[in-house]
Amino acid sequence: METPRDYTPDLYRVYFEVGEFKNTAKNILSKFLETDDPDKIIELANGFEVELPIQCVPDTVRELAQANIAVYQVIRYAKVDGTWGKNEICS
């Protein structure tokens, strides 16, 4: 299955390279993922790695952009074990 047509709750590790300011991007990701668990949001030098369904990537980018956070790139690494725990796939 091609990932743009993947509407399953399967999780992927995704890297968001962002122009961070005062932890705003991290706070948005925490709110979007409904977690403050440091294992769920990995902070890197220029962005964050998270696990989420592939179809949630556009929603996440939209929320970051609406908060005036620059998104420089998004990289989907690989499918990981587990499924999305929310009732709805994306917020």
Side-chain angles (χ1 to χ4, degrees), residues 18 20 23 28 49 64 80 82-83 88:
V18 297
E20 177 62 81
N23 287 324
I28 289 169
E49 281 185 12
L64 291 166
V80 297
T83 57
E88 296 179 21

Side-chain angles (χ1 to χ4, degrees), residues 53-66:
I54 197 71
Q55 72 270 20
C56 291
V57 170
D59 293 342
T60 306
V61 170
R62 185 178 312 113
E63 287 199 31
L64 291 166
Q66 286 175 343

Side-chain angles (χ1 to χ4, degrees), residues 14-66:
V14 181
Y15 169 69
F16 293 91
E17 185 174 305
V18 297
E20 177 62 81
F21 181 71
K22 295 184 181 177
N23 287 324
T24 303
K26 186 174 183 178
N27 292 337
I28 289 169
L29 290 170
S30 293
K31 183 179 131 194
F32 188 82
L33 299 173
E34 295 181 346
T35 185
D36 288 327
D37 185 348
D39 293 334
K40 300 291 182 184
I41 301 173
I42 299 170
E43 190 168 348
L44 302 172
N46 296 305
F48 302 92
E49 281 185 12
V50 297
E51 293 178 359
L52 70 166
I54 197 71
Q55 72 270 20
C56 291
V57 170
D59 293 342
T60 306
V61 170
R62 185 178 312 113
E63 287 199 31
L64 291 166
Q66 286 175 343

Side-chain angles (χ1 to χ4, degrees), residues 77-89:
Y77 292 131
K79 191 173 181 180
V80 297
D81 290 334
T83 57
W84 190 244
K86 289 183 171 182
N87 291 335
E88 296 179 21
I89 294 297

Side-chain angles (χ1 to χ4, degrees), residues 61-75:
V61 170
R62 185 178 312 113
E63 287 199 31
L64 291 166
Q66 286 175 343
N68 214 18
I69 301 293
V71 179
Y72 294 102
Q73 67 178 321
V74 178
I75 301 172

